[in-house]
Structure formats: C-alpha cells, structure tokens
Amino acid sequence: MTTEATRARFPWGLTVVCALAFVLLASLGVWQVQRMQWKQALIAQAEAVATAPPVPLYPPRSARPSARVEASAVAPEPQPAATTLQELPKFPEFQRVVVACNWETRGYVRLRSIHEGVAGDRIITLCQQFLVDRGFVPDGATRPITRLYSSEPGGREIAVIAQARTTPLPSPFALAARDGIFYSRDNKAIVKALGGDPGHFGSQVLFAEQSTAPEAPALIAEPPPAAFSNNHLGYALTWFGLALAVLGFYIALLRRKPSLKPSRSEGEASGTKESS
C-alpha cells in the first residue's frame, strides 16, 4: 500500500515539464555564449582588416593610382591577376581594397538614406562587377549634384580606397524603386538598373573611403559605421538564471509537498480494520 501510494503521488508530470524547461533554458544560455564568441571573433577580424593596408581589386588600366592613394598605403602583395567574371573575389568583411574606375562615365542610382540624422541619397555605381557606394549627399545641399565629375581631365581612370561590406537583404515591405531612386538596398535590382548582369554581381558592396568626385564637396565619402552590439553575455546570464530558477522552483515544490508516507490516522484506521 505504501509503495503504491508513493508512486501515485510522485509528480511525474511536473518533473517532465521542469526538466524540459531547464534543458531548453540552459541550451539557450549555451547558444548565447557561442554567439558571444562568434561576435568577439568578428570584432577582432574587423579591427584587423580595418587597419591593414588595402589590396588592389584589379590592376587599374591607367597603371597608376590617384594622387589621393599614397603608394605606401597600397599593399604590394598579393597582386591578383586579371579575374574573369566567374572568379569574382569574396573579401573578408571590412577588408579595404583599391578600386579603379572612370567615375565620370559611370551611371549611378540614388538610394534614399539617413546619415548622422540627415536625410539624403547614397550614390551607387557599378564598377568591375562590384557595386561601389560613392558616398552620401544630404538633401538641400548648396550645390545639388546633377553629374559627378572625375578628378582628372578627360575622365581618366582613377583609384580610390573602399571598404568591402555585406549588406542585409531588403525588407519585403520596402517601397519599389522609381525614377532611378531606390528606397531599399536591393543589390540585384540596382545592378540590373545600372545595366549589369545580376548573375555576375560580386555580392559585396564597396563603400568608398575617399571622394570619387572632389569637385563635388557635397558628396560625403564615408562608409556607414559598423554596428556591433555584443550583449550576448548578459543574455546568457539571463537564460542560465531562468534555468536555475526553474530548478529551484521544482526543488521547493517537492519539499513543500505533503509527505508521501501514510499519515498516523490512516495507519490507525487500517489497523482498526485489520483487527475487526
């Protein structure tokens, strides 16, 4: 009788629920620790490549960089050979590269954006099968840009330093492009609008760190800031704390549960029945 009552009163359902909750919360804590380690590695990589010398995207046909790119700033190695459209490079995030184009002859589209709280347009050009974000032009500029001029007479090819970044996919609720103005960074659509082949797009966007049109001072050549938020340790501690809380709740509930042994009155009653 005592064994059967003990088995009947043991909270198997509560035990299973608490065990599943504990495992789930602890797993979420471990996942956040792994995310923290990944984020720390990403930050370290970004800091390393951001301070490293830029590498050439392709050898410029003009055989000489712009005066704005010092010779000592360009890494002599590696020197990539001419790359076919099927062998476009994939750079590490935040890698600095030297990209050369005849900027005057390049068509461009405008992407509505906000820079330091000011609304305006980002000017995007297709160069060597990469999208180059040439910079930001605020609304109401004193000299509105209707044409972006080259810094050399005759529109010769010049080189500037840019930063390789991977941009997020556009929101499905973003407004559609109209009259050459985009409202989301839909890279494939931008490549197509610029007359390029989306299938040969290099997947990364190169953000110019130097002006591609010094004669247009309204053009701010500055990549967007890297938004790194490493709050995963706090999240991990929260999940682990909740897991411990579930465990404590389960232990406290077991201790407050009535004794599984038969009470004295029950024993006396059973003894009376047996004697009778």
Side-chain angles (χ1 to χ4, degrees):
M1 293 290 293
T2 303
T3 304
E4 293 179 358
T6 302
R7 290 179 179 176
R9 293 184 181 183
F10 189 80
W12 289 108
L14 177 64
T15 301
V16 171
V17 171
C18 289
L20 291 176
F22 178 82
V23 171
L24 175 61
L25 294 171
S27 301
L28 289 173
V30 172
W31 176 66
Q32 286 297 335
V33 171
Q34 295 172 346
R35 291 279 297 175
M36 178 186 67
Q37 295 172 346
W38 167 78
K39 185 63 70 67
Q40 290 174 344
L42 183 62
I43 293 174
Q45 173 190 334
E47 292 176 348
V49 298
T51 56
V55 298
L57 176 60
Y58 297 113
R61 290 188 298 272
S62 60
R64 71 182 186 90
S66 167
R68 294 179 56 82
V69 182
E70 299 178 1
S72 61
V74 181
E77 295 292 340
Q79 292 290 341
T83 308
T84 63
L85 292 180
Q86 288 75 25
E87 298 174 345
L88 291 170
K90 181 72 164 60
F91 297 104
E93 196 73 1
F94 303 100
Q95 174 70 59
R96 301 172 73 228
V97 300
V98 179
V99 56
C101 266
N102 184 340
W103 304 106
E104 182 179 0
T105 61
R106 293 284 168 177
Y108 63 89
V109 299
R110 295 185 293 164
L111 172 66
R112 295 298 296 169
S113 181
I114 296 178
H115 179 74
E116 295 182 352
V118 179
D121 299 320
R122 298 200 74 94
I123 307 300
I124 303 177
T125 295
L126 184 64
C127 176
Q128 302 184 35
Q129 296 304 315
F130 278 84
L131 288 178
V132 180
D133 190 312
R134 301 175 62 177
F136 178 82
V137 180
D139 290 341
T142 54
R143 295 175 60 184
I145 294 180
T146 56
R147 183 182 181 189
L148 298 175
Y149 293 94
S150 169
S151 61
E152 294 190 13
R156 295 181 61 188
E157 185 179 67
I158 61 172
V160 297
I161 296 176
Q163 187 181 100
R165 301 278 285 271
T166 301
T167 58
L169 296 175
S171 169
F173 304 104
L175 297 176
R178 184 174 55 188
D179 299 330
I181 301 177
F182 283 77
Y183 299 92
S184 65
R185 198 177 284 274
D186 188 345
N187 294 330
K188 296 289 186 181
I190 292 175
V191 169
K192 188 174 182 180
L194 291 171
D197 183 358
H200 291 153
F201 167 56
S203 78
Q204 289 180 318
V205 176
L206 305 181
F207 288 84
E209 294 183 357
Q210 298 171 313
S211 178
T212 56
E215 292 82 359
L219 179 63
I220 305 171
E222 183 179 342
F228 285 123
S229 58
N230 193 2
N231 300 323
H232 299 288
L233 178 60
Y235 299 149
L237 293 176
T238 300
W239 290 122
F240 286 137
L242 290 174
L244 292 176
V246 169
L247 182 61
F249 168 78
Y250 175 72
I251 294 175
L253 200 61
L254 283 183
R255 289 185 174 181
R256 294 185 59 182
K257 196 170 183 62
S259 175
L260 300 178
K261 296 180 180 180
S263 62
R264 186 174 180 181
S265 59
E266 291 177 352
E268 292 176 352
S270 60
T272 304
K273 291 181 180 179
E274 290 177 358
S275 61
S276 61

